[in-house]
Each structure stands twice: as structure tokens, then as C-alpha cells.
Amino acid sequence: MALEYTLSIIKPDAVRKRLIGQIYSRFEKNALVVVIAKRVRLTREQAENFYNVHKERSFFPQLVAFMSSGPIMVQVLKAESAVSRNREIMGDTDPRRAKPGTLRADFATTIEENAVHGSDSIETAKKEIAFFFPEFSASCKDHPC
Ligand code: ATP
Ligand code: MG
């Protein structure tokens, strides 16, 4: 197992529901260390750029509108196998299919408003960390971000 970094977002629905503390508690219970974080509100253009990989999907306009609808909490998480560990505690994209005890099972409402985002691979994590925290990426010498 290798030490990894991954990008996590607490989405506008969960920030509105004041779930930042409970979600941070899940990170800490699962040995995911928050190493840098900020609360921001994305513009439409920033949301489009971040989810650019989904631009051809039918749900893209709604996804962009939702992600720019209110503040989000963005953090870099560090752990052994951080990418898969975070995806595991997040649960399935669709909260109806998410395993009990996962963030999406407990806190998400719908597949669109699903509480959290997590990078899906080490490569994606590098890009997503650089998107939100260029200064953190630039300072990485001894870790894979
Ligand atoms: P995320 O990238 O946000 O962590 P994910 O990797 O589980 O989620 P993706 O397939 O990357 O899922 O989809 C990105 C986001 O787009 C989802 O989190 C969800 O908000 C939205 N989305 C995905 N599939 C659908 C769908 N069928 N209908 C509506 N929205 C969807
Ligand atoms: Mg994804």
C-alpha cells in the first residue's frame, strides 16, 4: 500500500445541511487526514471546467448548476490508499444503491445532490488537487500529487 493524496468536495447540498463537521468526523474515523482545505463558491465556468469529463452527458447542465448553487468545502485527504479509501466511505453515486453507513447513504438525497465528491484515480486526484490547490501541488516533492 502506498501513501496517497485525493481530492474531496463536500457539495452544496451537504454544506447547506450543515454536515461539514459530521463528514470531517467520518474522514478522521477512517484515518483520512485533512491536509489542506477551503470553503469556496464555484462560478458556472469553474464548475464546467472541473466536471469537463462529463460535458457530453445529459445531466451536465444540471450538474454544473448544482455545483455552483452554493458554497462547497474542498479538501485534500492523505492516507494509505486514500483514493479508494475515500471512495469506499462515500458509497455509490446513487444514494439508493449506497451501502448503509456510507456518506451518501447517510447524507445524500438524490443521485444529483449526493453530498460528496472524491477523485476516482490517482491520476484524476493529481489533476483535481492542482485545480483547487495549485500552490499545494507545486510544493509536492516527496508525494504523488
Ligand atoms: P463524483 O465525481 O461527484 O465524486 P461519482 O464519481 O460517484 O461522483 P460520476 O459518474 O463521476 O460519479 O458523476 C459525477 C456526478 O454527476 C455525480 O456525483 C452526480 O452528482 C452526477 N451524476 C452522475 N450520474 C448521474 C445521473 N445519471 N443523473 C444525474 N446526475 C448524475
Ligand atoms: Mg466522478
Side-chain angles (χ1 to χ4, degrees):
M1 286 206 298
L3 188 62
E4 291 173 5
Y5 292 76
T6 192
L7 194 278
S8 156
I9 300 178
I10 302 178
K11 295 186 179 183
D13 57 323
V15 173
R16 275 194 280 273
K17 290 190 235 167
R18 302 186 184 180
L19 293 169
I20 294 172
Q22 288 191 62
I23 293 172
Y24 267 47
S25 169
R26 298 282 181 97
F27 294 152
E28 293 186 333
K29 280 185 191 139
N30 288 279
L32 287 157
V33 179
V34 177
V35 294
I36 187 167
K38 64 182 174 188
R39 184 180 181 275
V40 289
R41 180 161 180 178
L42 294 178
T43 63
R44 249 194 126 72
E45 291 68 33
Q46 288 169 325
E48 279 170 3
N49 289 338
F50 183 75
Y51 275 118
N52 189 43
V53 63
H54 294 308
K55 66 174 183 292
E56 307 301 339
R57 309 287 290 274
S58 59
F59 57 79
F60 185 67
Q62 292 93 305
L63 177 61
V64 167
F66 167 60
M67 287 302 290
S68 55
S69 70
I72 57 174
M73 192 75 199
V74 194
Q75 44 282 323
V76 174
L77 306 176
K78 171 179 149 181
E80 295 285 334
S81 307
V83 172
S84 59
R85 186 181 296 231
N86 184 42
R87 297 285 296 188
E88 221 172 284
I89 70 158
M90 286 166 57
D92 194 280
T93 310
D94 184 346
R96 290 170 305 182
R97 295 164 53 132
K99 280 193 201 140
T102 60
L103 292 170
R104 282 165 165 168
D106 291 347
F107 301 132
T109 347
T110 63
I111 192 169
E112 285 152 347
E113 307 215 348
N114 62 3
V116 283
H117 162 84
S119 308
D120 59 12
S121 69
I122 293 176
E123 274 314 299
T124 313
K126 283 183 196 171
K127 288 184 198 145
E128 292 183 348
I129 291 169
F131 182 94
F132 282 105
F133 300 104
E135 71 289 359
F136 179 83
S137 286
S139 74
C140 293
K141 292 192 182 67
D142 58 346
H143 59 70
C145 53

